[in-house]
Amino acid sequence: MMKHFTSIHDVADLAELLRQAKLVKEKPFAREQLGHHKSMCLLFFNASLRTRLSTQKAAFHLGLHTVVFDIQQGGWNLEFEDGTVMRGDKAEHVKEAAAVIGQYFDIIGIRTFAGLKNKEEDYAEQVIGQFKRYAGKPILNLESSTRHPLQSFTDLITIEEHKKTEKPKVVLTWAPHPRALPQAVANSFLEWMGATAYEVVVTHPPGYELDEAFTKGIPIVYDQQEAFENADFIYAKNWSSLKEYGKVVSEDQSWMVTAEKMKLTRQAKFMHCLPVRRNVIVEDAVLDSDQSIVIPQAANRVVAAQTVLQEMLRTNP
Ligand code: CP
């Protein structure tokens, strides 16, 4: 059962979802009638390559018609606050916008990044929450302020495919980036990894601690090289500070993932959600090596999206 897919908390049985993903990968068109006469709107408040394309491809495999709407470009500027006197630049309230979109479509996918100005607002997940409340239709999270569950499910599928031991060591490492990025991918990755039997470690410079709701029970190692020792998977990602909310408190280039550091691992596979800045987050020598699995990882975005859409269509006939 999956009414919405906004986080791992919407997954009733993770092992079963993984089993379904395997079947989807083997036979992508096995359920091409499931979405017949159904439609989905993919609503983008922010840019995307993988999510935009892979979710459409997944829908195509299910016979589900998809409309992509870049709301910031072609739509009205939305108001999310209750009781506002709407004399400013926001022409439409989410109460009407969500309700109207809900009249047109059977599933609504939403991408809405953290604003990185107000932690409480971002962590309240206002946009996803309001659409859930007013659209009256199943909501698919295409990356929200605090989570990117389609990416995390993809990451889990990819690790399952490439792991050589039952309990691989999986290291999430912070890496430098010139701009402030949300914590969503890192939060979500740890949330999903926390649901496995893997040995999970997170490494970052002091000042980049994530919300404890996501790191609970996961060791934080401040020495990146120590964390890399005997790792089976290195997952690199930048995120901005939670404590000094949305700030870049360090751009320390010594945290870039290099071929030299990869030698400390057990020939670990290198992963990143993409897009990735070459020679800032990770050296060419790693990204272009056999150890990098970023392309098969990105390919699995279709598998993850299709598996989730199947489950949503079954739950919401
Ligand atoms: N990883 C990911 O979500 O990529 P896009 O931002 O390009 O969709």
Side-chain angles (χ1 to χ4, degrees), residues 47-52 111 113 143 148 151 273-275 301:
S48 162
L49 185 154
R50 278 142 290 272
T51 307
R52 175 185 296 259
R111 163 158 288 198
F113 288 167
E143 186 173 343
H148 194 355
Q151 181 65 54
C273 62
L274 305 181
R301 288 294 304 270

Side-chain angles (χ1 to χ4, degrees), residues 218-249:
I218 295 172
I220 302 169
V221 177
Y222 292 102
D223 180 333
Q224 190 190 36
Q225 303 213 11
E226 182 191 326
F228 272 43
E229 279 169 21
N230 297 319
D232 297 296
F233 293 89
I234 299 293
Y235 195 107
K237 184 71 187 89
N238 173 269
W239 61 88
S240 57
S241 173
L242 182 76
K243 198 169 164 208
E244 291 187 54
Y245 192 64
K247 298 235 167 10
V248 176
V249 292

Side-chain angles (χ1 to χ4, degrees), residues 24-225:
V24 162
K25 192 151 185 176
E26 280 162 17
K27 290 187 180 167
F29 287 100
R31 298 194 172 268
E32 60 186 331
Q33 291 301 314
L34 197 61
H36 190 58
H37 288 180
K38 299 247 174 190
S39 60
M40 171 169 71
C41 180
L42 301 180
L43 205 57
F44 284 89
F45 287 86
N46 310 98
S48 162
L49 185 154
R50 278 142 290 272
T51 307
R52 175 185 296 259
L53 299 180
S54 63
T55 313
Q56 287 180 80
K57 181 80 185 291
F60 167 68
H61 287 165
L62 295 168
L64 174 66
H65 185 74
T66 309
V67 172
V68 177
F69 184 18
D70 289 301
I71 193 160
Q72 306 282 47
Q73 286 163 33
W76 303 109
N77 201 1
L78 295 188
E79 175 62 66
F80 287 89
E81 298 301 329
D82 266 345
T84 318
V85 178
M86 289 174 58
R87 285 215 182 86
D89 62 345
K90 294 177 178 168
E92 180 156 29
H93 201 282
V94 67
K95 284 187 183 180
E96 285 75 47
V100 169
I101 294 168
Q103 296 294 306
Y104 302 154
F105 297 97
D106 300 291
I107 294 177
I108 304 170
I110 303 171
R111 163 158 288 198
T112 172
F113 288 167
L116 295 179
K117 290 191 168 58
N118 182 320
K119 179 163 75 175
E120 283 66 40
E121 264 182 25
D122 287 344
Y123 274 69
E125 290 282 11
Q126 187 188 46
V127 178
I128 290 278
Q130 302 268 49
F131 269 88
K132 243 184 182 175
R133 191 162 166 203
Y134 298 120
K137 287 292 165 67
I139 301 297
L140 174 66
N141 185 338
L142 304 176
E143 186 173 343
S144 64
S145 300
T146 65
R147 290 178 170 93
H148 194 355
L150 278 178
Q151 181 65 54
S152 310
F153 182 33
T154 299
D155 301 335
L156 178 57
I157 293 167
T158 309
I159 292 173
E160 283 294 298
E161 285 175 349
H162 287 84
K163 73 180 188 186
K164 293 200 180 85
T165 58
E166 249 337 278
K167 206 179 159 192
K169 180 176 176 183
V170 178
V171 178
L172 170 66
T173 180
W174 180 92
H177 194 281
R179 295 181 55 195
L181 299 186
Q183 293 108 28
V185 169
N187 285 343
S188 209
F189 182 73
L190 292 179
E191 193 165 50
W192 283 68
M193 290 300 111
T196 70
Y198 305 160
E199 179 190 351
V200 185
V201 171
V202 58
T203 181
H204 55 73
Y208 280 104
E209 289 75 12
L210 292 161
D211 191 310
E212 278 177 21
F214 299 98
T215 56
K216 204 170 170 198
I218 295 172
I220 302 169
V221 177
Y222 292 102
D223 180 333
Q224 190 190 36
Q225 303 213 11

